[in-house]
Amino acid sequence: MPSALVFFSEFSEAPSKAQRELLTLASGFENPAVSVASQVSAAAQEVLASYGVVKLYTASSEAQVFGEHELSVLDAALQATGAGLVLLANDNFSRELGARLAVRHNGAIITDVIGITGDLVATKDELAGSYSVQAKPTNGTLFATLKPNSIEDAPAAASVPLAVEELALEDSSDAKVRIAAAEAKAASDRPALTEARVVVAGGRGVNGDFGPVEDLADALGAAVGASRAATDAGWISHDAQIGQTGVTVAPQLYISAGISGAIQQKAGMQTSKFIIAINKDVDAPVFEIADLGIVGDLAKVLPQAAEEIRRRKA
């Protein structure tokens, strides 16, 4: 069985659900190691040890360069470990990072993975979940991005001693791309859309008012998503868009409110475990894939659902 290396841009004592899932998957391989492109606190190191990680490679940089530092950290850690499997987050930045290093090391990259066996056979969904595909690299290291909510978070039965090594990297002062400006996004108490176990999404049917969608999401502790029609209309920010030209989600529960369910939208949510659709149009395509369909006005259905959920919680 090959050894596994997990890469994080940063890692805290309160890792995200997606980060914990990556660590859980890595723990099933030999000598799981982690590389982080910043310093890692003692508390965060304890978290890593609780998932069976035996080696941590770290390196921080004050240089305002885009991507070059992260690329150098992962490259150096890969050379130090000789890992046969590199696990990364399923975001655009990590995909680019993995693709560049796969080319550099004559390896292979597979994205949107939902599972990997000990002999590096990766499973992923294709064509909006219509097919389950198994793929295996023909040579070199496998770089894989793990789709959130694909596996259960499971720390190891017992922590292991964690060795920490500070990587010595080459100077990146001659980087071609530098960060000109950075602006932090407004913090939200809701879970990240791509990692949430429950998603409530609104579309054209909300008619500009996402209040009922957000209220139900807050009652459920869910993330808020949207169709392209809703984001293009300016009713909600574009980072909430789910679909072929937005993000892909695979929550345990997906509630679609006022979304017709065109193929572009289905491509981003069809692999959800349980789908509830609410729409006035009985012929809406979303009902074809819904596990439960409600023909009705979302402005009436959602508030009633939120009220009942809060009553039961109380």
Side-chain angles (χ1 to χ4, degrees):
M1 181 180 291
S3 59
L5 173 65
V6 186
F7 174 79
F8 300 121
S9 294
E10 56 184 10
F11 190 86
S12 68
E13 56 265 35
S16 69
K17 184 175 183 296
Q19 288 180 320
R20 299 195 304 271
E21 289 177 358
L22 281 167
L23 292 173
T24 299
L25 181 57
S27 67
F29 292 83
E30 290 186 356
N31 303 317
V34 168
S35 59
V36 183
S38 61
Q39 293 301 314
V40 180
S41 68
Q45 291 178 26
E46 291 181 5
V47 174
L48 291 173
S50 71
Y51 282 85
V53 176
V54 298
K55 191 69 177 284
L56 168 63
Y57 297 90
T58 67
S60 58
S61 173
E62 299 299 326
Q64 294 296 302
V65 297
F66 181 76
E68 293 300 323
H69 174 64
E70 291 83 356
L71 189 71
S72 297
V73 170
L74 180 52
D75 195 4
L78 179 58
Q79 293 184 52
T81 61
L85 171 65
V86 176
L87 295 171
L88 304 110
N90 201 45
D91 54 57
N92 291 335
F93 178 77
S94 298
R95 291 180 183 185
E96 178 180 341
L97 199 68
R100 291 174 66 179
L101 283 175
V103 171
R104 183 179 296 183
H105 291 274
N106 194 29
I109 181 167
I110 304 176
T111 60
D112 295 317
V113 166
I114 60 175
I116 303 177
T117 65
D119 55 353
L120 297 184
V121 175
T123 300
K124 60 179 296 184
D125 293 323
E126 288 288 2
L127 297 176
S130 300
Y131 293 89
S132 179
V133 177
Q134 285 74 48
K136 183 176 182 178
T138 55
N139 61 274
T141 299
L142 170 61
F143 294 79
T145 67
L146 180 66
K147 194 173 183 179
N149 294 314
S150 298
I151 60 176
E152 289 296 324
D153 168 29
S159 295
V160 297
L162 176 66
V164 182
E165 180 178 332
E166 181 76 16
L167 293 169
L169 305 178
E170 296 181 2
D171 182 25
S172 60
S173 59
D174 60 344
K176 306 301 183 194
V177 179
R178 293 187 173 276
I179 298 174
E183 181 178 347
K185 296 180 65 175
S188 172
D189 292 333
R190 297 189 183 108
L193 181 58
T194 55
E195 300 177 12
R197 293 180 64 84
V198 181
V199 172
V200 183
R204 196 188 306 274
V206 306
N207 198 26
D209 182 12
F210 262 80
V213 173
E214 294 175 339
D215 186 46
L216 179 58
D218 291 340
L220 290 167
V224 172
S227 67
R228 179 170 180 173
T231 59
D232 284 351
W235 299 339
I236 192 170
S237 63
H238 281 282
D239 56 8
Q241 181 183 333
I242 297 170
Q244 194 171 32
T245 54
V247 300
T248 299
V249 298
Q252 299 297 310
L253 172 62
Y254 183 90
I255 301 176
S256 169
I259 302 175
S260 66
I263 187 61
Q264 294 88 344
Q265 220 275 329
K266 287 182 182 178
M269 47 68 75
Q270 191 162 321
T271 56
S272 303
K273 299 297 186 295
F274 195 89
I275 300 171
I276 298 175
I278 305 160
N279 202 293
K280 287 182 178 180
D281 181 6
V282 68
D283 295 320
V286 69
F287 288 129
E288 297 174 3
I289 61 169
D291 297 284
L292 173 64
I294 301 173
V295 179
D297 184 353
L298 67 88
K300 296 179 181 178
V301 175
L302 297 190
Q304 291 179 47
E307 181 182 356
E308 180 64 16
I309 289 166
R310 290 193 172 97
R311 186 187 70 78
R312 297 198 177 196
K313 282 185 174 181

